[in-house]
Amino acid sequence: MHVPDGFFNVAVSLSAGAVAAAGVAVCLRGARRELDDRTAPMAGLVAAFIFAVQMLNFPVAAGTSGHLLGGALAAILVGPYTAVLCVAVVLLVQGFFFADGGLTALGVNITLMGIVAIVVAWFVFRLITRALHSRAAVVGASFVAALLSVPAAALAFSLLFWIGGTAPIDVGTVAMAMGGVHVLIGIGEGLITAVTVSTVLAIRPDLVYGARGLVAPLVLRGADGDVTVAGRSPAPVAAASHRRGWFLPAGIAVAALLAGLVSFYASSSPDGLERVAQDKGFIGQATDHALGEQPLADYGDAGGVPVGVAGLIGVGVTLAAGGGLFLVVRRRTGKEQATV
C-alpha cells in the first residue's frame, strides 16, 4: 500500500506530513517508556524484518498481490510507540533508497501504514487480551489485530482520497474496492503476524511486549534449579542475555535470508492499491519518483542490481538506521532516569 507521488493534492500531502511528523514526535517520547534492555535491540531487528517481509508480495486474487504492512507485528513485539518508529524507518529507507512510495506521499504512507494501522491493531489486540489471558489468546489476538489493521488503513486511504485525491473518483467506489481487496491481504497479514509472534513466544516470550504479564515466563532448568528468563534477579537477567546472544543474530539471518533469497520468488502482480488504481482509472495520476533512476530504485531493477542484493542492502541499512535510532532513544532515557 505504498502510495506514490501524484495521488494526492498539495493540501492533503502537507497535512498528512504534519500529522506524520507530530505522530513520530509523540512516539519518540512514548518509546522511552517502552525501550529497555530487551526491546531496544529487538526494535532494530523488527524494523529490518518488516523491510524484508514487505519485499515478499503474495498472491491474494487473480492478478493481485499483497504484502505485510507490519504495524501490528511491530506493536505486539516492541510496543505501539516504538512500532510507529519502526514503520517510519522502513518507509524512509524504502522511499529514499529504493524509490518505493512517493517522497511527497511520505507523510501519507507513515500516517496510513504507521499511525492508523498501529492504532487499530493495538486497540484490537489489547481489547482481546484484556479479556483472555493465555498464550493462545495472544496469538489469536495477533491474527485478528493484524487482519483488521490492513482494511482500516485502506479505508483511511479512501477517506483521504475523497478529501484530496487528484482524480474525480466516487469515494464509495474506491472504498469498496480498497476495503475488499485489503481484507484478503489482511488475512495474509494476520497469518504472518500470528506465526511470527507464536515463534518468538516459544523461544523468548520476554521479548514480546504485548504478552508481558499475560503468558508464563520461559523457564530454563539448570543444575541449581529453575531459572526464569523473564524474572528480576541477576541470574535470570544473565540467562536472558545469553539467549539474546544467539536470538538477535538468528533473527538478522532470517531477515537476510528472506530479503536475499526468498524475494526472488515474490509475486510480480500489482499490489492491492495499484490494482484498484488500475481498475478505477486513477493509476495515471501517479508521477515519476524523484529518485527513480538511482541504481537501487525498484529494488535494483532500475540499475540492474539483483533483487536479492538490493534486499540485503536494504536489510543492512534498515537495521543500522533503526538500531541507531533506538539506541539513542534508549541511552537518552537512561540518562534522564539517572538524573531524577
Side-chain angles (χ1 to χ4, degrees), residues 195-209:
V195 168
T196 304
V197 170
S198 178
T199 302
V200 179
L201 278 173
I203 301 171
R204 283 291 304 274
D206 59 305
L207 292 182
V208 181
Y209 181 90

mmCIF file with all atom_site columns, all heavy atoms in Angstrom, residues 195-209:
data_model
loop_
_atom_site.group_PDB
_atom_site.id
_atom_site.type_symbol
_atom_site.label_atom_id
_atom_site.label_alt_id
_atom_site.label_comp_id
_atom_site.label_asym_id
_atom_site.label_entity_id
_atom_site.label_seq_id
_atom_site.pdbx_PDB_ins_code
_atom_site.Cartn_x
_atom_site.Cartn_y
_atom_site.Cartn_z
_atom_site.occupancy
_atom_site.B_iso_or_equiv
_atom_site.pdbx_formal_charge
_atom_site.auth_seq_id
_atom_site.auth_comp_id
_atom_site.auth_asym_id
_atom_site.auth_atom_id
_atom_site.pdbx_PDB_model_num
ATOM 1   N N   . VAL A 1 195 ? 2.080  -16.199 13.152 1.00 0.00 ? 195 VAL A N   1
ATOM 2   C CA  . VAL A 1 195 ? 3.175  -17.179 13.115 1.00 0.00 ? 195 VAL A CA  1
ATOM 3   C C   . VAL A 1 195 ? 4.440  -16.588 13.727 1.00 0.00 ? 195 VAL A C   1
ATOM 4   O O   . VAL A 1 195 ? 5.145  -17.254 14.508 1.00 0.00 ? 195 VAL A O   1
ATOM 5   C CB  . VAL A 1 195 ? 3.432  -17.651 11.665 1.00 0.00 ? 195 VAL A CB  1
ATOM 6   C CG1 . VAL A 1 195 ? 4.733  -18.437 11.577 1.00 0.00 ? 195 VAL A CG1 1
ATOM 7   C CG2 . VAL A 1 195 ? 2.271  -18.499 11.166 1.00 0.00 ? 195 VAL A CG2 1
ATOM 8   N N   . THR A 1 196 ? 4.728  -15.342 13.400 1.00 0.00 ? 196 THR A N   1
ATOM 9   C CA  . THR A 1 196 ? 5.932  -14.710 13.936 1.00 0.00 ? 196 THR A CA  1
ATOM 10  C C   . THR A 1 196 ? 5.839  -14.532 15.444 1.00 0.00 ? 196 THR A C   1
ATOM 11  O O   . THR A 1 196 ? 6.776  -14.846 16.184 1.00 0.00 ? 196 THR A O   1
ATOM 12  C CB  . THR A 1 196 ? 6.168  -13.347 13.262 1.00 0.00 ? 196 THR A CB  1
ATOM 13  O OG1 . THR A 1 196 ? 6.226  -13.513 11.844 1.00 0.00 ? 196 THR A OG1 1
ATOM 14  C CG2 . THR A 1 196 ? 7.475  -12.731 13.746 1.00 0.00 ? 196 THR A CG2 1
ATOM 15  N N   . VAL A 1 197 ? 4.707  -14.026 15.924 1.00 0.00 ? 197 VAL A N   1
ATOM 16  C CA  . VAL A 1 197 ? 4.523  -13.833 17.361 1.00 0.00 ? 197 VAL A CA  1
ATOM 17  C C   . VAL A 1 197 ? 4.578  -15.170 18.085 1.00 0.00 ? 197 VAL A C   1
ATOM 18  O O   . VAL A 1 197 ? 5.210  -15.295 19.142 1.00 0.00 ? 197 VAL A O   1
ATOM 19  C CB  . VAL A 1 197 ? 3.181  -13.115 17.651 1.00 0.00 ? 197 VAL A CB  1
ATOM 20  C CG1 . VAL A 1 197 ? 2.865  -13.127 19.142 1.00 0.00 ? 197 VAL A CG1 1
ATOM 21  C CG2 . VAL A 1 197 ? 3.238  -11.683 17.138 1.00 0.00 ? 197 VAL A CG2 1
ATOM 22  N N   . SER A 1 198 ? 3.941  -16.195 17.534 1.00 0.00 ? 198 SER A N   1
ATOM 23  C CA  . SER A 1 198 ? 3.956  -17.524 18.143 1.00 0.00 ? 198 SER A CA  1
ATOM 24  C C   . SER A 1 198 ? 5.379  -18.068 18.235 1.00 0.00 ? 198 SER A C   1
ATOM 25  O O   . SER A 1 198 ? 5.761  -18.670 19.249 1.00 0.00 ? 198 SER A O   1
ATOM 26  C CB  . SER A 1 198 ? 3.074  -18.476 17.333 1.00 0.00 ? 198 SER A CB  1
ATOM 27  O OG  . SER A 1 198 ? 3.111  -19.778 17.881 1.00 0.00 ? 198 SER A OG  1
ATOM 28  N N   . THR A 1 199 ? 6.170  -17.839 17.203 1.00 0.00 ? 199 THR A N   1
ATOM 29  C CA  . THR A 1 199 ? 7.552  -18.318 17.197 1.00 0.00 ? 199 THR A CA  1
ATOM 30  C C   . THR A 1 199 ? 8.386  -17.633 18.270 1.00 0.00 ? 199 THR A C   1
ATOM 31  O O   . THR A 1 199 ? 9.134  -18.284 19.008 1.00 0.00 ? 199 THR A O   1
ATOM 32  C CB  . THR A 1 199 ? 8.186  -18.092 15.814 1.00 0.00 ? 199 THR A CB  1
ATOM 33  O OG1 . THR A 1 199 ? 7.414  -18.778 14.817 1.00 0.00 ? 199 THR A OG1 1
ATOM 34  C CG2 . THR A 1 199 ? 9.622  -18.594 15.784 1.00 0.00 ? 199 THR A CG2 1
ATOM 35  N N   . VAL A 1 200 ? 8.251  -16.316 18.362 1.00 0.00 ? 200 VAL A N   1
ATOM 36  C CA  . VAL A 1 200 ? 9.017  -15.579 19.378 1.00 0.00 ? 200 VAL A CA  1
ATOM 37  C C   . VAL A 1 200 ? 8.541  -15.969 20.783 1.00 0.00 ? 200 VAL A C   1
ATOM 38  O O   . VAL A 1 200 ? 9.358  -16.117 21.703 1.00 0.00 ? 200 VAL A O   1
ATOM 39  C CB  . VAL A 1 200 ? 8.900  -14.058 19.168 1.00 0.00 ? 200 VAL A CB  1
ATOM 40  C CG1 . VAL A 1 200 ? 9.685  -13.302 20.244 1.00 0.00 ? 200 VAL A CG1 1
ATOM 41  C CG2 . VAL A 1 200 ? 9.411  -13.666 17.791 1.00 0.00 ? 200 VAL A CG2 1
ATOM 42  N N   . LEU A 1 201 ? 7.249  -16.173 20.955 1.00 0.00 ? 201 LEU A N   1
ATOM 43  C CA  . LEU A 1 201 ? 6.734  -16.608 22.252 1.00 0.00 ? 201 LEU A CA  1
ATOM 44  C C   . LEU A 1 201 ? 7.329  -17.946 22.665 1.00 0.00 ? 201 LEU A C   1
ATOM 45  O O   . LEU A 1 201 ? 7.607  -18.174 23.842 1.00 0.00 ? 201 LEU A O   1
ATOM 46  C CB  . LEU A 1 201 ? 5.204  -16.732 22.202 1.00 0.00 ? 201 LEU A CB  1
ATOM 47  C CG  . LEU A 1 201 ? 4.382  -15.459 22.383 1.00 0.00 ? 201 LEU A CG  1
ATOM 48  C CD1 . LEU A 1 201 ? 2.911  -15.756 22.135 1.00 0.00 ? 201 LEU A CD1 1
ATOM 49  C CD2 . LEU A 1 201 ? 4.590  -14.859 23.762 1.00 0.00 ? 201 LEU A CD2 1
ATOM 50  N N   . ALA A 1 202 ? 7.519  -18.826 21.712 1.00 0.00 ? 202 ALA A N   1
ATOM 51  C CA  . ALA A 1 202 ? 8.054  -20.146 22.016 1.00 0.00 ? 202 ALA A CA  1
ATOM 52  C C   . ALA A 1 202 ? 9.530  -20.100 22.387 1.00 0.00 ? 202 ALA A C   1
ATOM 53  O O   . ALA A 1 202 ? 10.012 -20.938 23.150 1.00 0.00 ? 202 ALA A O   1
ATOM 54  C CB  . ALA A 1 202 ? 7.849  -21.077 20.816 1.00 0.00 ? 202 ALA A CB  1
ATOM 55  N N   . ILE A 1 203 ? 10.245 -19.124 21.848 1.00 0.00 ? 203 ILE A N   1
ATOM 56  C CA  . ILE A 1 203 ? 11.692 -19.052 22.071 1.00 0.00 ? 203 ILE A CA  1
ATOM 57  C C   . ILE A 1 203 ? 12.058 -18.059 23.168 1.00 0.00 ? 203 ILE A C   1
ATOM 58  O O   . ILE A 1 203 ? 12.823 -18.372 24.085 1.00 0.00 ? 203 ILE A O   1
ATOM 59  C CB  . ILE A 1 203 ? 12.412 -18.657 20.757 1.00 0.00 ? 203 ILE A CB  1
ATOM 60  C CG1 . ILE A 1 203 ? 12.110 -19.681 19.663 1.00 0.00 ? 203 ILE A CG1 1
ATOM 61  C CG2 . ILE A 1 203 ? 13.916 -18.548 20.976 1.00 0.00 ? 203 ILE A CG2 1
ATOM 62  C CD1 . ILE A 1 203 ? 12.610 -19.258 18.289 1.00 0.00 ? 203 ILE A CD1 1
ATOM 63  N N   . ARG A 1 204 ? 11.521 -16.844 23.065 1.00 0.00 ? 204 ARG A N   1
ATOM 64  C CA  . ARG A 1 204 ? 11.832 -15.784 24.019 1.00 0.00 ? 204 ARG A CA  1
ATOM 65  C C   . ARG A 1 204 ? 10.573 -14.988 24.341 1.00 0.00 ? 204 ARG A C   1
ATOM 66  O O   . ARG A 1 204 ? 10.364 -13.893 23.830 1.00 0.00 ? 204 ARG A O   1
ATOM 67  C CB  . ARG A 1 204 ? 12.900 -14.853 23.447 1.00 0.00 ? 204 ARG A CB  1
ATOM 68  C CG  . ARG A 1 204 ? 14.317 -15.374 23.484 1.00 0.00 ? 204 ARG A CG  1
ATOM 69  C CD  . ARG A 1 204 ? 14.872 -15.450 24.910 1.00 0.00 ? 204 ARG A CD  1
ATOM 70  N NE  . ARG A 1 204 ? 14.797 -14.177 25.582 1.00 0.00 ? 204 ARG A NE  1
ATOM 71  C CZ  . ARG A 1 204 ? 15.749 -13.220 25.495 1.00 0.00 ? 204 ARG A CZ  1
ATOM 72  N NH1 . ARG A 1 204 ? 16.813 -13.433 24.766 1.00 0.00 ? 204 ARG A NH1 1
ATOM 73  N NH2 . ARG A 1 204 ? 15.602 -12.081 26.150 1.00 0.00 ? 204 ARG A NH2 1
ATOM 74  N N   . PRO A 1 205 ? 9.670  -15.539 25.173 1.00 0.00 ? 205 PRO A N   1
ATOM 75  C CA  . PRO A 1 205 ? 8.427  -14.816 25.473 1.00 0.00 ? 205 PRO A CA  1
ATOM 76  C C   . PRO A 1 205 ? 8.645  -13.460 26.106 1.00 0.00 ? 205 PRO A C   1
ATOM 77  O O   . PRO A 1 205 ? 7.791  -12.578 26.005 1.00 0.00 ? 205 PRO A O   1
ATOM 78  C CB  . PRO A 1 205 ? 7.694  -15.773 26.423 1.00 0.00 ? 205 PRO A CB  1
ATOM 79  C CG  . PRO A 1 205 ? 8.756  -16.654 26.992 1.00 0.00 ? 205 PRO A CG  1
ATOM 80  C CD  . PRO A 1 205 ? 9.765  -16.811 25.892 1.00 0.00 ? 205 PRO A CD  1
ATOM 81  N N   . ASP A 1 206 ? 9.785  -13.266 26.762 1.00 0.00 ? 206 ASP A N   1
ATOM 82  C CA  . ASP A 1 206 ? 10.061 -11.975 27.394 1.00 0.00 ? 206 ASP A CA  1
ATOM 83  C C   . ASP A 1 206 ? 10.301 -10.874 26.374 1.00 0.00 ? 206 ASP A C   1
ATOM 84  O O   . ASP A 1 206 ? 10.310 -9.690  26.720 1.00 0.00 ? 206 ASP A O   1
ATOM 85  C CB  . ASP A 1 206 ? 11.273 -12.092 28.328 1.00 0.00 ? 206 ASP A CB  1
ATOM 86  C CG  . ASP A 1 206 ? 12.515 -12.544 27.589 1.00 0.00 ? 206 ASP A CG  1
ATOM 87  O OD1 . ASP A 1 206 ? 12.457 -13.603 26.927 1.00 0.00 ? 206 ASP A OD1 1
ATOM 88  O OD2 . ASP A 1 206 ? 13.549 -11.847 27.666 1.00 0.00 ? 206 ASP A OD2 1
ATOM 89  N N   . LEU A 1 207 ? 10.490 -11.245 25.099 1.00 0.00 ? 207 LEU A N   1
ATOM 90  C CA  . LEU A 1 207 ? 10.719 -10.252 24.050 1.00 0.00 ? 207 LEU A CA  1
ATOM 91  C C   . LEU A 1 207 ? 9.427  -9.824  23.362 1.00 0.00 ? 207 LEU A C   1
ATOM 92  O O   . LEU A 1 207 ? 9.464  -9.002  22.453 1.00 0.00 ? 207 LEU A O   1
ATOM 93  C CB  . LEU A 1 207 ? 11.701 -10.796 23.006 1.00 0.00 ? 207 LEU A CB  1
ATOM 94  C CG  . LEU A 1 207 ? 13.143 -11.004 23.486 1.00 0.00 ? 207 LEU A CG  1
ATOM 95  C CD1 . LEU A 1 207 ? 14.013 -11.503 22.346 1.00 0.00 ? 207 LEU A CD1 1
ATOM 96  C CD2 . LEU A 1 207 ? 13.717 -9.706  24.059 1.00 0.00 ? 207 LEU A CD2 1
ATOM 97  N N   . VAL A 1 208 ? 8.300  -10.378 23.756 1.00 0.00 ? 208 VAL A N   1
ATOM 98  C CA  . VAL A 1 208 ? 7.008  -9.993  23.170 1.00 0.00 ? 208 VAL A CA  1
ATOM 99  C C   . VAL A 1 208 ? 6.363  -8.967  24.100 1.00 0.00 ? 208 VAL A C   1
ATOM 100 O O   . VAL A 1 208 ? 5.782  -9.313  25.126 1.00 0.00 ? 208 VAL A O   1
ATOM 101 C CB  . VAL A 1 208 ? 6.096  -11.210 22.980 1.00 0.00 ? 208 VAL A CB  1
ATOM 102 C CG1 . VAL A 1 208 ? 4.775  -10.780 22.345 1.00 0.00 ? 208 VAL A CG1 1
ATOM 103 C CG2 . VAL A 1 208 ? 6.787  -12.259 22.105 1.00 0.00 ? 208 VAL A CG2 1
ATOM 104 N N   . TYR A 1 209 ? 6.466  -7.713  23.738 1.00 0.00 ? 209 TYR A N   1
ATOM 105 C CA  . TYR A 1 209 ? 5.970  -6.628  24.591 1.00 0.00 ? 209 TYR A CA  1
ATOM 106 C C   . TYR A 1 209 ? 4.493  -6.812  24.933 1.00 0.00 ? 209 TYR A C   1
ATOM 107 O O   . TYR A 1 209 ? 4.078  -6.623  26.081 1.00 0.00 ? 209 TYR A O   1
ATOM 108 C CB  . TYR A 1 209 ? 6.183  -5.294  23.874 1.00 0.00 ? 209 TYR A CB  1
ATOM 109 C CG  . TYR A 1 209 ? 5.720  -4.090  24.660 1.00 0.00 ? 209 TYR A CG  1
ATOM 110 C CD1 . TYR A 1 209 ? 6.592  -3.440  25.528 1.00 0.00 ? 209 TYR A CD1 1
ATOM 111 C CD2 . TYR A 1 209 ? 4.421  -3.597  24.525 1.00 0.00 ? 209 TYR A CD2 1
ATOM 112 C CE1 . TYR A 1 209 ? 6.173  -2.321  26.248 1.00 0.00 ? 209 TYR A CE1 1
ATOM 113 C CE2 . TYR A 1 209 ? 3.999  -2.492  25.237 1.00 0.00 ? 209 TYR A CE2 1
ATOM 114 C CZ  . TYR A 1 209 ? 4.870  -1.857  26.105 1.00 0.00 ? 209 TYR A CZ  1
ATOM 115 O OH  . TYR A 1 209 ? 4.456  -0.770  26.822 1.00 0.00 ? 209 TYR A OH  1
#
